[in-house]
Amino acid sequence: MIDIINSNNFKKDKYLFSLVSHNLDIDNYKVITNNKNYIIVIGKPNKEIWLWTNNLNNDVINELINKINIIIKEKDYSFVCKQNLYNSLKEKVNYISKPFIYNNYICKNIIKPKEVKGRLEKPTIDDKEIIASFWKDNCEYFNYDISYELCLKFAESWINSNTFYVWKINNKIVSFVGYDIIDNTAEISHAYTDKHERGKGYMPYLIYEVTKIILSDGLLPVLNTDYSYESSNNAYKKVGFKETELMYSFTTSMHKNKKL
């Protein structure tokens, strides 16, 4: 039993670390913790490792660094942690990268945006190709190398879920968004608007309608976005999402300059 994830301190941050709970359901996960004030969760191979602590004193930071050094002994990894922990680590080691910054939001009170034409629907398998095409376009925008075939698999899995919605204008999909339920939170993700239909208010209204569904189910709507992606962030703010705390994703470079 990992007592720390049931502690009051961790519960305060649980919406930020919802994927910790998800990783604990994965086969062969690994946890490193003193069960008092820090936890390191290693889930899927080649995925980000989650770091959490409620104590930034020198002894705890040094212990965390020792644990990280053991983890990256053979190869470099990516990690996610809160901003204050990243800053504490950066002061002591020189092998962590400039971070990718996530902006975190929660919504307890929904705000209705300006109404737009169209309607909310759940997509069918006939919509798979257009959703896959849109998602490939999204990934390419952020310089993610992904095949159309993999995008088709993603699209099919989203369509088969009960938590994925599209906004249609005259039977044409212009936006879509989904969410994943983890514990008592619903993490909104997979948000996209057709690049030819942006700036018309479709995404804020779609987020509004989906967030209403989430709240009616007694779940806390949460999401994280690229801190620098203003258009996406503004869409969430328009419907009542409030900024909470920044999360930092960084990669180690201990082995970067080692010869093969």
Side-chain angles (χ1 to χ4, degrees), residues 146-183:
I146 189 171
S147 68
Y148 179 69
E149 288 72 24
L150 183 56
C151 289
L152 280 172
K153 291 181 179 179
F154 283 149
E156 187 168 353
S157 68
W158 297 339
I159 291 168
N160 289 333
S161 75
N162 195 38
T163 57
F164 187 76
Y165 294 85
V166 299
W167 194 259
K168 283 190 174 183
I169 308 292
N170 298 325
N171 292 319
K172 174 189 173 185
I173 294 175
V174 295
S175 290
F176 60 73
V177 73
Y179 59 91
D180 298 311
I181 299 173
I182 304 174
D183 296 330

Side-chain angles (χ1 to χ4, degrees), residues 126-136 148 152 155 168 172-174 176 192 194:
D126 292 336
D127 298 313
K128 181 174 67 174
E129 286 78 11
I130 187 62
I131 291 171
S133 177
F134 281 166
W135 194 244
K136 182 166 175 57
Y148 179 69
L152 280 172
K168 283 190 174 183
K172 174 189 173 185
I173 294 175
V174 295
F176 60 73
Y192 179 85
D194 181 356

Side-chain angles (χ1 to χ4, degrees), residues 1-6 10 17 19-44 48-53 63-64 67-68 70-71 79:
M1 181 66 180
I2 307 168
D3 295 332
I4 194 170
I5 65 172
N6 294 314
F10 184 80
F17 290 82
L19 286 180
V20 166
S21 298
H22 179 67
N23 282 336
L24 294 178
D25 292 330
I26 294 171
D27 291 339
N28 300 318
Y29 73 84
K30 184 177 181 180
V31 169
I32 302 170
T33 179
N34 62 1
N35 234 342
K36 294 179 182 178
N37 48 38
Y38 74 80
I39 184 171
I40 304 172
V41 179
I42 306 170
K44 291 182 179 179
E48 293 171 321
I49 296 171
W50 290 77
L51 309 177
W52 176 87
T53 184
E63 187 172 349
L64 275 170
K67 302 300 183 184
I68 292 171
I70 293 171
I71 292 170
F79 296 81

Side-chain angles (χ1 to χ4, degrees), residues 60-173:
V60 171
I61 297 302
N62 285 337
E63 187 172 349
L64 275 170
I65 289 172
N66 287 335
K67 302 300 183 184
I68 292 171
N69 286 341
I70 293 171
I71 292 170
I72 66 173
K73 184 178 180 180
E74 301 296 332
K75 60 177 289 190
D76 289 310
Y77 284 93
S78 295
F79 296 81
V80 179
C81 64
K82 293 168 70 173
Q83 179 182 14
N84 56 4
L85 176 54
Y86 173 85
N87 290 337
S88 295
L89 294 172
K90 187 67 174 175
E91 288 178 359
K92 289 179 171 287
V93 299
N94 60 5
Y95 56 74
I96 61 177
S97 69
K98 183 179 179 180
F100 177 89
I101 304 175
Y102 294 98
N103 214 344
N104 285 278
Y105 295 85
I106 63 174
C107 182
K108 295 182 178 180
N109 297 294
I110 195 74
I111 299 172
K112 187 174 183 179
K114 180 180 178 181
E115 289 196 20
V116 296
K117 62 181 179 179
R119 63 188 185 277
L120 180 76
E121 286 189 11
K122 285 189 176 179
T124 70
I125 202 65
D126 292 336
D127 298 313
K128 181 174 67 174
E129 286 78 11
I130 187 62
I131 291 171
S133 177
F134 281 166
W135 194 244
K136 182 166 175 57
D137 179 72
N138 179 75
C139 292
E140 289 176 349
Y141 177 83
F142 288 103
N143 296 315
Y144 295 149
D145 186 14
I146 189 171
S147 68
Y148 179 69
E149 288 72 24
L150 183 56
C151 289
L152 280 172
K153 291 181 179 179
F154 283 149
E156 187 168 353
S157 68
W158 297 339
I159 291 168
N160 289 333
S161 75
N162 195 38
T163 57
F164 187 76
Y165 294 85
V166 299
W167 194 259
K168 283 190 174 183
I169 308 292
N170 298 325
N171 292 319
K172 174 189 173 185
I173 294 175

Side-chain angles (χ1 to χ4, degrees), residues 141 198 203-204 228-238:
Y141 177 83
R198 293 172 188 169
M203 180 56 71
S228 65
Y229 197 23
E230 293 184 9
S231 61
S232 176
N233 294 331
N234 289 335
Y236 299 127
K237 291 176 183 178
K238 285 180 180 179

